[in-house]
Amino acid sequence: MKKIWCLMLAVSLVFSMTACQQEEMVQKETEQETPAEIQENTPEETKPPQQKNELLWTTGIDPVQEISGTVEGTTETYVRELTDPKYQGRIGGSEGNRAAADYLAKEFERIGLQQLPELGSWKQSYQTNVVSILPGEAWIVAPDQTQTPLELGKDWVFRASPEELDVTVSLTTDPSVYNEGKAIWDANVESKGIARKLNLTTGEVSAGMAYTNPSGNPSRILVSEEVYAQLKQPGYQIHLKLPDAINEEGSAENVVGYLPGKDHTKAVVLGANFDGPGQCGPLLMPGAYNNASGVATMIQTAAWLAQSDELPCDVIFAAFNTEDNTENGSDALSKLIEGQYEQIRMVNLKCIGWKGQPLTIYGKNSEAVLRNSLAGGLGLQYADRDLGADEKAFYEEKMSAVVLFQDACLTNPETNSILNTTRDTADNLDFTMLDDIAKKLAAWVIECGDEPLDSYAVYW
C-alpha cells in the first residue's frame, strides 16, 4: 500500500511541476513584444530601411482614358490645411483630430458627396483608445538633489503616457533594479524588450517623435546627447512628471462620403487614414507624407467622380481614424458595410507623392485581379506584398483590397527617416504627381469599378 501511495505522490508531483512549467512558459510568451510594439518602440533614427521589393509591370491591360474638364482645388490645398498646427498633428481622438474631421466633412459636402445611407451622417463614431495633447515636465537631479529644469522640445520630448507619473529615476539595464520601480530603462544600451518598459533614449530632439501610443505601453523619453551624458554620471537622475494622456474608453470618428452608382450590389471604397503622429510641446509632427498625402488625393479623386454623369457602382470615400489602434476606423467601416454589398473592392491611399519617387501598387497574389487592374490602368508597377495597413480590414469574403503606395517609403533612407518627425512637411511632396494620379484613379473607377473580384479563364 505504501508503494502505491508513493507512486501516486510521485505522479502528482510530476503533473504539478509540468503545470508550473507550462504556466511559466505562457507567462514568458505573453511578455514578448508584439511586432507593432517593436516597431513603435524603435527609435526612428535607428530603423533601417527595408530591402527593395521586386517591382513588376502588368501586361495586356490598357491604361485608362483621361478625364476631361477641371475641378476646384488641388491636393496641395488639402495637404497644407491638414498639416496646419491648429490640428495638433491630428493624433487620434485629440481636439485637433476632431477639428480635422470637421474640416473633412465640410469638404466632402462642398465637392458634392452624399452621406452614407447606413450612417445618415458624415461621421462614423466607434470606441477606441484616444489621446490628449498634454504637456510634461522634467528635471535633471544632481547627487546633491539640486534640480535643473529641462526644456520640452529642446532638451527632451516624450510619447503619451497611459498613466500619470511623478518619479525620480536613474538609468539602468538591470531588470531587477528596473522592477523595483526606481529606474528608467536605458534603451541606448539595450533596446531589446523595451516595449513594455518606461524607457529613455537619445537622439535629435528637434526632429520630435510620434506622440501617439496605440498599444498603451509606458512612455518613451527622448533626450539630447548633452542630457544623456549627464544622466550617465554617477548619482544623476531624471525627475519626470507626465500626465495621463490616454483614455482607454474613448471614441474616435471616421469621415465617410458616398456617391451612388448604377449597380448597388457592388462598391468601390477609396480610403486613407487622416490621423497623424501628433504634437509634443512645441514640436509638431505634421504628417504630410504620412498621411495627409493620401487623404488629399482621395478628396481630389472624389471631386472628379462627383462630376461624372454615371458611375458603374457605388463609391465610398473614407477618411479613416486611429490607424494603428487595435480598434481602428477601417475595421469599423468594413463591419458596417460588409452586409450591404455582394462585392467590395478597396484601394487604400498611403504615403504617396514624395518628390522623385515612383508610385507603386502593393497587393498579394490573392488580390491579383484588383492589383493588376489598378496597376495596368494607372500605368504603375506593382509589388507582390501587402502593407498591413487599413486595407487589411477588407481582406474578407466578397472583398478585395490593395494599396496605392510608394515603395520608397520603406526602402529609401531619406524618405523613411522623416516618418513621424517634424520633417514630414508638405514641401517634400510633388503635388503635380498627386493631382495627376487622382485624375487617373477617378478614370479607373469609372471604367473598371464594377469588374468582378475574380477572373476566369475560358477555354475553347
Side-chain angles (χ1 to χ4, degrees):
M1 180 64 72
K2 287 183 178 180
K3 289 184 179 179
I4 294 175
W5 278 109
C6 288
L7 180 61
M8 291 176 65
L9 180 60
V11 171
S12 176
L13 286 171
V14 168
F15 276 110
S16 298
M17 291 173 66
T18 302
C20 290
Q21 289 171 344
Q22 289 176 341
E23 183 177 351
E24 184 179 356
M25 289 174 63
V26 170
Q27 185 175 359
K28 287 182 178 179
E29 288 175 1
T30 58
E31 289 174 356
Q32 292 177 353
E33 296 173 311
T34 65
E37 288 175 331
I38 294 171
Q39 178 74 4
E40 73 186 57
N41 282 277
T42 303
E44 296 298 331
E45 64 273 13
T46 63
K47 288 179 183 176
Q50 297 182 16
Q51 291 184 347
K52 289 187 177 181
N53 296 286
E54 182 183 10
L55 301 182
L56 306 169
W57 293 99
T58 58
T59 58
I61 298 177
D62 295 330
V64 295
Q65 298 297 309
E66 183 175 347
I67 298 176
S68 60
T70 59
V71 293
E72 183 181 347
T74 67
T75 53
E76 182 172 9
T77 304
Y78 305 127
V79 169
R80 293 200 181 276
E81 174 66 23
L82 287 169
T83 55
D84 189 282
K86 65 187 175 187
Y87 297 124
Q88 300 178 307
R90 309 184 307 280
I91 192 167
S94 66
E95 291 182 8
N97 177 274
R98 297 184 192 281
D102 290 339
Y103 162 73
L104 292 171
K106 290 177 182 177
E107 286 303 302
F108 279 13
E109 184 173 20
R110 181 189 65 79
I111 64 178
L113 301 187
Q114 300 177 25
Q115 295 177 357
L116 190 66
E118 289 80 7
L119 287 176
S121 168
W122 294 113
K123 297 178 183 178
Q124 179 192 16
S125 181
Y126 59 96
Q127 298 299 305
T128 190
N129 292 355
V130 296
V131 180
S132 298
I133 305 292
L134 298 173
E137 297 179 277
W139 298 263
I140 287 284
V141 183
D144 64 1
Q145 300 305 302
T146 302
Q147 298 199 41
T148 304
L150 299 178
E151 183 177 345
L152 184 60
K154 179 183 178 183
D155 299 317
W156 75 298
V157 68
F158 69 100
R159 183 180 62 189
S161 175
E163 60 180 348
E164 186 175 353
L165 286 180
D166 188 350
V167 295
T168 301
V169 287
S170 307
L171 291 175
T172 191
T173 54
D174 184 334
S176 61
V177 174
Y178 176 83
N179 291 334
E180 290 176 0
K182 299 177 181 179
I184 186 169
W185 192 262
D186 188 346
N188 252 21
V189 176
E190 178 54 71
S191 61
K192 186 177 181 181
I194 62 173
R196 298 174 188 176
K197 294 182 175 73
L198 176 66
N199 66 86
L200 181 146
T201 189
T202 184
E204 185 184 349
V205 173
S206 63
M209 65 187 297
Y211 184 74
T212 184
N213 186 358
S215 299
N217 286 319
S219 182
R220 181 180 187 83
I221 312 299
L222 176 71
V223 299
S224 66
E225 295 285 355
E226 293 77 14
V227 171
Y228 182 72
Q230 280 188 289
L231 290 173
K232 294 295 284 185
Q233 296 180 44
Y236 277 81
Q237 297 176 296
I238 186 168
H239 178 191
L240 296 169
K241 289 186 71 174
L242 303 181
D244 181 352
I246 301 176
N247 179 2
E248 291 82 2
E249 299 180 354
S251 65
E253 296 171 322
N254 293 327
V255 185
V256 186
Y258 161 82
L259 287 173
K262 184 177 180 181
D263 187 346
H264 298 303
T265 68
K266 298 179 179 180
V268 170
V269 177
L270 301 181
N273 72 287
F274 78 93
D275 58 307
Q279 178 175 353
C280 185
L283 298 180
L284 174 73
M285 282 59 77
Y289 186 52
N290 184 22
N291 184 42
S293 63
V295 178
T297 305
M298 178 191 65
I299 298 173
Q300 191 76 348
T301 304
W304 281 109
L305 290 173
Q307 295 183 356
S308 177
D309 293 332
E310 185 178 63
L311 298 174
C313 61
D314 291 355
V315 185
I316 297 170
F317 307 89
F320 297 125
N321 213 340
T322 63
E323 178 200 23
D324 293 323
N325 287 17
T326 303
E327 299 83 12
N328 58 37
S330 52
D331 280 331
L333 182 67
S334 176
K335 291 172 183 176
L336 176 70
I337 66 173
E338 65 179 341
Q340 306 298 319
Y341 294 98
E342 296 177 8
Q343 169 180 306
I344 297 174
R345 307 172 88 200
M346 191 269 181
V347 180
N348 185 25
L349 288 74
K350 179 73 174 175
C351 295
I352 52 180
W354 188 272
K355 292 177 180 177
Q357 297 293 340
L359 297 168
T360 317
I361 304 299
Y362 267 27
K364 295 289 288 182
N365 280 334
S366 57
E367 317 299 313
V369 174
L370 172 57
R371 180 195 67 197
N372 294 354
S373 173
L374 190 63
L378 302 185
L380 303 177
Q381 289 181 292
Y382 70 87
D384 175 20
R385 64 161 293 177
D386 61 3
L387 188 62
D390 282 316
E391 75 284 351
K392 68 181 183 293
F394 295 84
Y395 290 159
E396 301 291 341
E397 188 179 1
K398 303 186 300 181
M399 298 184 187
S400 183
V402 296
V403 191
L404 176 58
F405 187 58
Q406 278 185 309
D407 194 59
C409 178
L410 299 179
T411 61
N412 180 274
E414 180 187 12
T415 310
N416 183 263
S417 67
I418 61 91
L419 298 176
N420 298 329
T421 72
T422 57
R423 298 191 294 267
D424 185 2
T425 65
D427 294 337
N428 296 316
L429 303 182
D430 181 344
F431 294 108
T432 300
M433 178 197 296
L434 295 181
D435 289 336
D436 178 67
I437 201 64
K439 193 174 183 180
K440 288 181 178 178
L441 183 57
W444 177 85
V445 172
I446 293 170
E447 293 183 28
C448 309
D450 62 346
E451 290 176 340
L453 292 179
D454 301 307
S455 61
Y456 299 94
V458 178
Y459 300 95
W460 297 96

